[in-house]
């Protein structure tokens, strides 16, 4: 009898523990269900239909768990199995809640950006002992006489508050100011960082960045006011300006040269995207003053200036921009697990010493190539291996962008989503708002059809390739005369996409 009572008591204790485990997991599962549902609602990324389906699924799961765990039910094994399943589901829901929060946070960081930075630098010779602004007390400073006066004066005022009177000398051009510092007429120069890249385009100053160092940066912010999005992004065709810089140390949000200039013409109804590449050296009038200059130099006056120059060329009305740091392309492609890109030519190139990768040669075969981040960047930057130079580089950049879009919209992206989110949030910004992005995501859920992505490139016309450029103070620089036959053809295709006509273009 004692053994029977002990056995019965042990069973009751075991049953009680199982009951408590099930009840605890019932509440844990309910809390996790509410948390993930609330987070998914907050992201606004799922359609109403999908949210209803998720809600029904969560209600069914929780309802079944409550039914199994009712105290009246005596199936100990069933309760135990149900409790273990609740543990697994709760862990999965916690992971999903964190993942959805990470997506929301990353998109909030990169979207709706309507300000740009203007960076003014204090520059000294590389061997100068000065390492910070305070070390330049008593120095003679060179400043430009007729460009970027507002930011220069702001910096000088800030310096005078802490250092007293500043001795300055004015120069007509950055080149004259560089010569003065080389000759020790001045010991430091104040210069918009955008002009450094312009200076290095001139042969006598190609090593300027190697001979000097920046010891202080003064940053101001300016609102982008001229971009006025119109219509619904899921119903009306729109144009996005895709800008990219291949300057290694460039702040992605700072005004600087734009080495990549691609218009993406998007028709969400017909699911067509036309990528139009315009060579960076295209010789075009600036929108704000009509002076002729390289397209790449327009970026120094802000993203809206680059957009306006291209709108004048193609007759478009660009509403959005996306800006990418091409050196951050390494991280994005690696986070995607690599991309597959078709190369029109077999070639080998040296990328230079990129972020510690060393001076390695990278070879590409004609046809499909699987590329990691550094290989994709090198492929995108190369131009000297092709007789078509910048034209082919632009085509290759569009191939890489197209491959990234295709990989990023495939299910395989979920495997490394955290790395991808970090890479994108560190290296990409856009003025497209979070709500507009979420509406596009919802639209793609409703219609799972793939996008028809086509590419076109403006080509070089005839004429002198050495011309005076406004931003370089009239210095003769290499430029690319526009081929208006190719421009007019692009205009026609843009109109077709905007009007909803299906386009099928021959491969370039």
């Amino acid at each position: 009898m004692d053994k029977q009572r002990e056995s019965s008591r042990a069973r009751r204790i075991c049953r009680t523990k199982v009951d408590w485990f099930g009840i605890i997991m019932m509440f844990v599962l309910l809390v996790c269900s509410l948390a993930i549902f609330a987070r998914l609602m907050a992201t606004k990324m799922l359609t109403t239909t999908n949210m209803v389906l998720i809600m029904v699924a969560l209600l069914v799961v929780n309802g079944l768990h409550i039914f199994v765990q009712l105290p009246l039910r005596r199936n100990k094994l069933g309760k135990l199995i149900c409790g273990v399943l609740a543990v697994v589901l709760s862990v999965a829901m916690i992971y999903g809640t964190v993942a959805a929060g990470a997506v929301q946070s990353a998109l909030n960081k990169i979207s709706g950006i309507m300000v740009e930075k203007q960076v003014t630098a204090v520059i000294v010779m590389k061997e100068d002992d000065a390492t910070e602004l305070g070390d330049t007390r008593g120095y003679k400073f060179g400043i430009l006489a007729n460009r970027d006066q507002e930011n220069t004066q702001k910096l000088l005022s800030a310096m005078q508050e802490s250092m007293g009177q500043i001795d300055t000398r004015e120069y007509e051009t950055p080149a004259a100011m560089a010569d003065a510092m080389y000759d020790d007429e001045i010991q430091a120069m104040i210069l918009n960082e955008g002009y450094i890249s312009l200076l290095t385009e001139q042969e006598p100053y190609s090593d300027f960045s190697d001979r000097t160092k920046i010891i202080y940066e003064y940053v101001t912010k300016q609102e982008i006011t001229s971009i006025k999005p119109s219509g619904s992004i899921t119903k009306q065709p729109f144009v996005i300006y895709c800008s990219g810089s291949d300057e290694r140390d460039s702040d992605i949000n700072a005004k600087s040269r734009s080495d990549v200039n691609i218009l993406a013409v998007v028709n969400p109804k017909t699911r067509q995207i036309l990528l139009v590449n315009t060579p960076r050296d295209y010789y075009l009038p600036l929108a704000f003053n009509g002076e002729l200059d390289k397209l790449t130099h327009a970026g120094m006056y802000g993203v809206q200036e680059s957009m306006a120059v291209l709108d004048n060329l193609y007759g478009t009305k660009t509403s959005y921009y996306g800006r990418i740091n091409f050196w951050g392309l390494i991280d994005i492609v690696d986070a995607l697990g690599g991309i597959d890109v078709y190369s029109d030519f077999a070639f080998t190139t040296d990328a230079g010493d990129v972020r510690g990768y060393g001076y390695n040669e990278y070879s590409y075969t004609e046809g499909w190539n699987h590329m990691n981040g550094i290989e994709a960047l090198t492929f995108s930057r190369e131009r000297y291996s092709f007789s078509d130079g910048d034209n082919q580089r632009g085509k290759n950049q569009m191939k890489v962008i197209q491959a990234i879009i295709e990989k990023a919209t495939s299910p395989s992206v979920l495997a490394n989503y955290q790395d991808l989110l970090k890479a994108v949030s560190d290296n990409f910004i856009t003025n497209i708002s979070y709500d507009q992005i979420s509406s596009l995501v919802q639209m793609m859920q409703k219609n799972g059809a793939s996008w028809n992505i086509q590419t076109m490139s403006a080509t070089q016309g005839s004429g002198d390739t050495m011309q005076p450029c406004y931003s370089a103070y009239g210095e003769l620089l290499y430029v690319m005369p526009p081929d208006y036959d190719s421009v007019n053809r692009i205009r026609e295709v843009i109109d077709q996409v905007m009007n909803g006509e299906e386009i099928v273009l021959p491969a370039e």
Side-chain angles (χ1 to χ4, degrees):
M1 290 293 293
D2 291 340
K3 289 183 178 180
Q4 288 179 348
R5 282 196 297 270
E6 289 179 2
S7 176
S8 177
R9 181 170 176 273
R11 285 196 297 272
R12 285 197 303 272
I13 293 173
C14 181
R15 189 162 54 243
T16 301
K17 289 181 178 179
V18 170
D19 285 342
W20 275 110
F21 171 67
I23 291 171
I24 291 171
M25 289 312 305
M26 180 175 68
F27 284 104
V28 170
L29 183 63
L30 180 60
V31 170
C32 291
S33 298
L34 291 173
I36 192 169
F37 188 79
R39 175 55 69 185
L40 291 175
M41 282 283 289
T43 63
K44 304 178 184 178
M45 290 293 169
L46 298 178
T47 62
T48 302
T49 301
N50 286 335
M51 287 303 302
V52 170
L53 291 174
I54 290 172
M55 181 178 66
V56 171
L58 291 174
L59 288 173
V60 170
V61 168
N62 280 273
L64 288 174
H65 187 77
I66 292 171
F67 178 75
V68 171
Q69 299 298 344
L70 285 173
L72 295 177
R73 301 186 63 81
R74 298 296 181 181
N75 188 337
K76 181 176 66 178
L77 180 60
K79 289 188 174 188
L80 183 61
I81 292 174
C82 190
V84 171
L85 288 175
V87 172
V88 174
L89 288 173
S90 297
V91 171
M93 289 178 188
I94 292 171
Y95 180 82
T97 303
V98 173
V103 171
Q104 187 177 12
S105 176
L107 288 179
N108 275 322
K109 181 179 178 181
I110 68 172
S111 62
I113 307 300
M114 290 296 291
V115 294
E116 286 183 299
K117 295 178 182 177
Q118 188 86 36
V119 184
T120 306
V122 176
I123 307 169
V124 298
M125 297 300 295
K126 180 80 76 175
E127 64 274 10
D128 196 295
D129 292 334
T131 58
E132 57 184 34
L133 193 57
D135 297 334
T136 62
R137 192 182 301 274
Y139 280 25
K140 293 185 180 69
F141 286 83
I143 61 174
L144 287 178
N146 54 9
R147 299 278 177 96
D148 200 35
Q149 288 292 295
E150 183 179 354
N151 289 314
T152 298
Q153 292 304 318
K154 286 182 179 179
L155 174 54
L156 285 173
S157 297
M159 292 170 60
Q160 287 172 355
E161 288 182 6
S162 60
M163 298 170 56
Q165 187 63 34
I166 305 298
D167 186 3
T168 62
R169 296 189 181 182
E170 292 187 343
Y171 295 90
E172 293 298 321
T173 67
M177 188 158 54
D179 287 337
M181 193 164 72
Y182 289 167
D183 296 336
D184 201 33
E185 291 178 14
I186 55 174
Q187 289 74 52
M189 54 193 293
I190 295 174
L191 187 65
N192 184 317
E193 287 193 7
Y195 283 98
I196 296 176
S197 56
L198 284 179
L199 192 59
T200 57
E201 286 186 55
Q202 302 174 44
E203 184 60 35
Y205 309 98
S206 59
D207 61 349
F208 177 81
S209 296
D210 295 326
R211 297 181 61 180
T212 62
K213 61 183 179 182
I214 296 173
I215 61 170
Y216 183 76
E217 291 180 325
Y218 182 77
V219 179
T220 57
K221 293 184 178 180
Q222 297 177 335
E223 187 174 355
I224 303 172
T225 58
S226 61
I227 303 174
K228 297 180 180 179
S230 59
S232 169
I233 200 168
T234 61
K235 298 177 181 179
Q236 301 296 326
F238 57 91
V239 181
I240 306 174
Y241 168 55
C242 304
S243 170
S245 172
D246 66 2
E247 294 180 41
R248 306 181 190 204
D249 300 321
S250 178
D251 185 329
I252 190 173
N253 204 20
K255 293 182 179 181
S256 63
R257 291 186 312 176
S258 181
D259 297 287
V260 180
N261 298 276
I262 295 173
L263 291 183
V265 185
V266 184
N267 191 317
K269 284 190 174 181
T270 60
R271 301 183 78 81
Q272 292 193 105
I273 299 176
L274 174 66
L275 299 178
V276 177
N277 174 66
T278 308
R280 52 165 286 182
D281 292 325
Y282 240 39
Y283 195 49
L284 300 167
L286 295 171
F288 77 95
N289 63 4
E291 296 285 348
L292 289 168
D293 208 338
K294 291 186 181 188
L295 172 60
T296 183
H297 294 168
M300 294 175 49
Y301 309 103
V303 67
Q304 73 278 3
E305 177 65 18
S306 297
M307 293 166 65
V309 170
L310 289 171
D311 283 345
N312 289 340
L313 181 65
Y314 295 115
T316 49
K317 292 182 179 179
T318 305
S319 299
Y320 305 103
Y321 78 86
R323 183 180 282 165
I324 187 171
N325 175 356
F326 254 62
W327 293 88
L329 186 97
I330 296 173
D331 301 325
I332 293 174
V333 173
D334 284 341
L336 287 169
I339 56 176
D340 295 311
V341 182
Y342 190 91
S343 176
D344 298 323
F345 304 97
F347 66 95
T348 298
T349 183
D350 180 359
D353 188 12
V354 182
R355 283 169 49 177
Y357 284 85
Y359 290 89
N360 298 315
E361 286 190 340
Y362 298 91
S363 297
Y364 306 89
T365 61
E366 182 179 350
W368 289 100
N369 295 259
H370 184 76
M371 303 178 189
N372 61 20
I374 181 61
E375 291 167 340
L377 174 66
T378 305
F379 181 80
S380 300
R381 298 182 71 237
E382 179 57 26
R383 58 175 170 168
Y384 297 111
S385 297
F386 317 117
S387 60
D388 210 11
D390 261 335
N391 281 331
Q392 187 60 43
R393 176 166 71 167
K395 294 175 184 177
N396 288 346
Q397 288 169 350
M398 290 193 294
K399 290 174 185 287
V400 168
I401 291 173
Q402 185 172 352
I404 289 174
I405 293 173
E406 291 172 350
K407 189 67 176 284
T409 54
S410 68
S412 63
V413 74
L414 296 175
N416 300 310
Y417 84 94
Q418 288 181 320
D419 292 337
L420 178 60
L421 287 177
K422 184 180 187 307
V424 171
S425 61
D426 288 343
N427 298 291
F428 179 82
I429 57 172
T430 179
N431 69 322
I432 302 177
S433 70
Y434 182 94
D435 286 342
Q436 289 171 318
I437 293 173
S438 64
S439 65
L440 280 173
V441 173
Q442 289 187 31
M443 182 199 72
M444 288 187 284
Q445 292 172 50
K446 293 176 183 177
N447 184 354
S450 60
W451 288 82
N452 173 25
I453 303 176
Q454 304 282 330
T455 64
M456 296 186 77
S457 297
T459 56
Q460 179 172 342
S462 59
D464 193 350
T465 57
M466 297 299 293
Q467 292 286 351
C469 293
Y470 169 79
S471 298
Y473 290 83
E475 289 287 335
L476 294 179
L477 299 178
Y478 170 79
V479 300
M480 185 179 289
D483 174 13
Y484 285 102
D485 287 339
S486 70
V487 169
N488 290 332
R489 173 58 181 150
I490 290 170
R491 277 174 168 255
E492 293 173 0
V493 178
I494 288 175
D495 287 341
Q496 290 173 356
V497 174
M498 298 293 283
N499 293 328
E501 300 175 34
E502 184 176 356
I503 59 167
V504 180
L505 302 174
E508 291 191 305

